[in-house]
mmCIF file of all heavy atoms in Angstrom:
data_model
loop_
_atom_site.group_PDB
_atom_site.id
_atom_site.type_symbol
_atom_site.label_atom_id
_atom_site.label_comp_id
_atom_site.label_asym_id
_atom_site.label_seq_id
_atom_site.Cartn_x
_atom_site.Cartn_y
_atom_site.Cartn_z
ATOM 1 N N THR A 2 2.269 -7.011 -21.994
ATOM 2 C CA THR A 2 3.291 -7.990 -21.667
ATOM 3 C C THR A 2 3.048 -8.495 -20.264
ATOM 4 O O THR A 2 2.713 -7.720 -19.374
ATOM 5 C CB THR A 2 4.688 -7.342 -21.745
ATOM 6 O OG1 THR A 2 4.855 -6.780 -23.035
ATOM 7 C CG2 THR A 2 5.768 -8.344 -21.465
ATOM 8 N N SER A 8 7.300 -15.859 -5.810
ATOM 9 C CA SER A 8 6.714 -15.317 -4.589
ATOM 10 C C SER A 8 7.830 -14.895 -3.655
ATOM 11 O O SER A 8 8.376 -15.718 -2.928
ATOM 12 C CB SER A 8 5.841 -16.373 -3.908
ATOM 13 O OG SER A 8 4.824 -16.769 -4.766
ATOM 14 N N PRO A 11 8.714 -11.407 2.289
ATOM 15 C CA PRO A 11 8.730 -9.994 2.641
ATOM 16 C C PRO A 11 10.161 -9.529 2.868
ATOM 17 O O PRO A 11 10.934 -10.188 3.547
ATOM 18 C CB PRO A 11 7.915 -9.916 3.934
ATOM 19 C CG PRO A 11 7.057 -11.126 3.903
ATOM 20 C CD PRO A 11 7.849 -12.175 3.165
ATOM 21 N N ARG A 27 -9.584 8.007 5.998
ATOM 22 C CA ARG A 27 -8.364 8.806 5.990
ATOM 23 C C ARG A 27 -7.866 8.951 4.560
ATOM 24 O O ARG A 27 -8.233 8.182 3.695
ATOM 25 C CB ARG A 27 -7.309 8.175 6.879
ATOM 26 C CG ARG A 27 -6.922 6.782 6.425
ATOM 27 C CD ARG A 27 -5.867 6.180 7.346
ATOM 28 N NE ARG A 27 -5.868 4.757 7.187
ATOM 29 C CZ ARG A 27 -6.298 3.888 8.083
ATOM 30 N NH1 ARG A 27 -6.754 4.306 9.231
ATOM 31 N NH2 ARG A 27 -6.275 2.606 7.844
ATOM 32 N N ARG A 28 -7.032 9.930 4.339
ATOM 33 C CA ARG A 28 -6.500 10.174 2.996
ATOM 34 C C ARG A 28 -5.351 9.244 2.656
ATOM 35 O O ARG A 28 -5.162 8.907 1.498
ATOM 36 C CB ARG A 28 -6.037 11.617 2.887
ATOM 37 C CG ARG A 28 -7.192 12.597 2.923
ATOM 38 C CD ARG A 28 -6.755 14.030 2.811
ATOM 39 N NE ARG A 28 -5.937 14.242 1.630
ATOM 40 C CZ ARG A 28 -5.062 15.217 1.507
ATOM 41 N NH1 ARG A 28 -4.894 16.073 2.488
ATOM 42 N NH2 ARG A 28 -4.370 15.366 0.407
ATOM 43 N N VAL A 32 2.857 5.086 4.013
ATOM 44 C CA VAL A 32 3.935 5.768 3.307
ATOM 45 C C VAL A 32 4.960 4.720 2.915
ATOM 46 O O VAL A 32 5.360 3.896 3.736
ATOM 47 C CB VAL A 32 4.599 6.848 4.187
ATOM 48 C CG1 VAL A 32 5.691 7.575 3.415
ATOM 49 C CG2 VAL A 32 3.573 7.831 4.713
ATOM 50 N N GLN A 46 8.115 -6.661 -3.909
ATOM 51 C CA GLN A 46 8.554 -6.493 -2.517
ATOM 52 C C GLN A 46 7.502 -5.761 -1.693
ATOM 53 O O GLN A 46 7.239 -6.130 -0.548
ATOM 54 C CB GLN A 46 9.876 -5.740 -2.478
ATOM 55 C CG GLN A 46 11.025 -6.533 -3.046
ATOM 56 C CD GLN A 46 12.318 -5.746 -3.071
ATOM 57 O OE1 GLN A 46 12.473 -4.743 -2.381
ATOM 58 N NE2 GLN A 46 13.257 -6.199 -3.875
ATOM 59 N N LEU A 51 2.749 -6.304 2.592
ATOM 60 C CA LEU A 51 1.472 -5.744 3.033
ATOM 61 C C LEU A 51 0.750 -6.682 3.994
ATOM 62 O O LEU A 51 0.953 -7.891 3.961
ATOM 63 C CB LEU A 51 0.580 -5.471 1.819
ATOM 64 C CG LEU A 51 1.081 -4.399 0.864
ATOM 65 C CD1 LEU A 51 0.171 -4.314 -0.357
ATOM 66 C CD2 LEU A 51 1.185 -3.047 1.554
ATOM 67 N N GLY A 56 -5.777 -8.431 1.477
ATOM 68 C CA GLY A 56 -6.137 -9.358 0.409
ATOM 69 C C GLY A 56 -5.122 -9.369 -0.717
ATOM 70 O O GLY A 56 -4.014 -8.858 -0.589
ATOM 71 N N ASN A 64 1.870 7.121 -9.787
ATOM 72 C CA ASN A 64 1.799 8.448 -10.385
ATOM 73 C C ASN A 64 3.204 8.988 -10.569
ATOM 74 O O ASN A 64 4.085 8.756 -9.751
ATOM 75 C CB ASN A 64 0.992 9.398 -9.506
ATOM 76 C CG ASN A 64 -0.466 9.066 -9.553
ATOM 77 O OD1 ASN A 64 -1.014 8.811 -10.616
ATOM 78 N ND2 ASN A 64 -1.114 9.035 -8.403
ATOM 79 N N ALA A 67 8.621 9.487 -13.261
ATOM 80 C CA ALA A 67 9.910 8.926 -12.864
ATOM 81 C C ALA A 67 9.935 7.398 -12.851
ATOM 82 O O ALA A 67 11.004 6.798 -12.945
ATOM 83 C CB ALA A 67 10.299 9.451 -11.483
ATOM 84 N N SER A 69 9.770 3.501 -13.930
ATOM 85 C CA SER A 69 10.148 2.771 -15.131
ATOM 86 C C SER A 69 8.896 2.385 -15.916
ATOM 87 O O SER A 69 7.793 2.430 -15.396
ATOM 88 C CB SER A 69 10.923 1.499 -14.751
ATOM 89 O OG SER A 69 10.086 0.617 -14.019
ATOM 90 N N VAL A 77 2.556 -11.795 -9.283
ATOM 91 C CA VAL A 77 3.186 -11.673 -7.976
ATOM 92 C C VAL A 77 2.441 -12.599 -7.033
ATOM 93 O O VAL A 77 1.230 -12.476 -6.871
ATOM 94 C CB VAL A 77 3.133 -10.218 -7.451
ATOM 95 C CG1 VAL A 77 3.779 -10.121 -6.085
ATOM 96 C CG2 VAL A 77 3.778 -9.257 -8.431
ATOM 97 N N CYS A 78 3.151 -13.523 -6.421
ATOM 98 C CA CYS A 78 2.545 -14.462 -5.462
ATOM 99 C C CYS A 78 1.327 -15.157 -6.087
ATOM 100 O O CYS A 78 0.263 -15.221 -5.478
ATOM 101 C CB CYS A 78 2.175 -13.763 -4.169
ATOM 102 S SG CYS A 78 3.574 -13.013 -3.327
ATOM 103 N N LEU A 84 -0.528 -3.254 -13.759
ATOM 104 C CA LEU A 84 0.249 -2.058 -13.449
ATOM 105 C C LEU A 84 -0.182 -0.914 -14.353
ATOM 106 O O LEU A 84 -0.321 -1.099 -15.563
ATOM 107 C CB LEU A 84 1.741 -2.330 -13.658
ATOM 108 C CG LEU A 84 2.350 -3.459 -12.834
ATOM 109 C CD1 LEU A 84 3.774 -3.732 -13.289
ATOM 110 C CD2 LEU A 84 2.314 -3.123 -11.363
ATOM 111 N N ALA A 87 -0.156 6.845 -14.087
ATOM 112 C CA ALA A 87 -1.074 7.962 -14.268
ATOM 113 C C ALA A 87 -0.344 9.249 -13.917
ATOM 114 O O ALA A 87 0.684 9.234 -13.241
ATOM 115 C CB ALA A 87 -2.296 7.776 -13.373
ATOM 116 N N ALA A 89 -1.698 12.055 -12.107
ATOM 117 C CA ALA A 89 -2.694 12.786 -11.307
ATOM 118 C C ALA A 89 -2.029 13.997 -10.661
ATOM 119 O O ALA A 89 -1.076 13.856 -9.910
ATOM 120 C CB ALA A 89 -3.284 11.870 -10.247
ATOM 121 N N VAL A 96 0.895 5.893 -4.761
ATOM 122 C CA VAL A 96 0.588 4.616 -5.388
ATOM 123 C C VAL A 96 -0.768 4.184 -4.844
ATOM 124 O O VAL A 96 -1.063 4.365 -3.659
ATOM 125 C CB VAL A 96 1.691 3.553 -5.125
ATOM 126 C CG1 VAL A 96 1.847 3.240 -3.657
ATOM 127 C CG2 VAL A 96 1.433 2.281 -5.899
ATOM 128 N N LEU A 98 -3.387 0.978 -4.515
ATOM 129 C CA LEU A 98 -3.471 -0.478 -4.541
ATOM 130 C C LEU A 98 -4.934 -0.881 -4.485
ATOM 131 O O LEU A 98 -5.688 -0.366 -3.651
ATOM 132 C CB LEU A 98 -2.720 -1.071 -3.338
ATOM 133 C CG LEU A 98 -1.289 -0.572 -3.136
ATOM 134 C CD1 LEU A 98 -0.739 -1.069 -1.814
ATOM 135 C CD2 LEU A 98 -0.413 -0.998 -4.294
ATOM 136 N N ARG A 105 -9.509 -0.130 -1.541
ATOM 137 C CA ARG A 105 -8.443 0.651 -2.172
ATOM 138 C C ARG A 105 -7.567 1.190 -1.059
ATOM 139 O O ARG A 105 -8.069 1.639 -0.022
ATOM 140 C CB ARG A 105 -9.079 1.789 -2.961
ATOM 141 C CG ARG A 105 -8.138 2.879 -3.357
ATOM 142 C CD ARG A 105 -8.893 4.078 -3.907
ATOM 143 N NE ARG A 105 -7.973 5.190 -4.068
ATOM 144 C CZ ARG A 105 -8.030 6.034 -5.063
ATOM 145 N NH1 ARG A 105 -8.983 5.928 -5.974
ATOM 146 N NH2 ARG A 105 -7.166 7.008 -5.145
ATOM 147 N N PRO A 116 17.474 11.356 1.064
ATOM 148 C CA PRO A 116 18.374 10.929 2.139
ATOM 149 C C PRO A 116 17.582 10.443 3.359
ATOM 150 O O PRO A 116 16.500 10.951 3.655
ATOM 151 C CB PRO A 116 19.158 12.197 2.483
ATOM 152 C CG PRO A 116 18.976 13.112 1.318
ATOM 153 C CD PRO A 116 17.659 12.756 0.707
ATOM 154 N N THR A 125 7.012 9.741 9.055
ATOM 155 C CA THR A 125 6.288 9.872 10.307
ATOM 156 C C THR A 125 5.299 11.022 10.271
ATOM 157 O O THR A 125 4.138 10.894 10.662
ATOM 158 C CB THR A 125 7.292 10.081 11.466
ATOM 159 O OG1 THR A 125 8.183 8.962 11.501
ATOM 160 C CG2 THR A 125 6.577 10.198 12.797
ATOM 161 N N ALA A 130 0.003 13.733 10.004
ATOM 162 C CA ALA A 130 -0.692 14.927 9.536
ATOM 163 C C ALA A 130 -1.857 14.619 8.615
ATOM 164 O O ALA A 130 -2.782 15.398 8.509
ATOM 165 C CB ALA A 130 0.297 15.840 8.822
#
Side-chain angles (χ1 to χ4, degrees):
T2 304
S8 300
R27 61 180 160 251
R28 291 180 54 204
V32 182
Q46 292 177 18
L51 295 175
N64 288 316
S69 64
V77 179
C78 300
L84 301 172
V96 62
L98 309 172
R105 164 190 171 143
T125 301

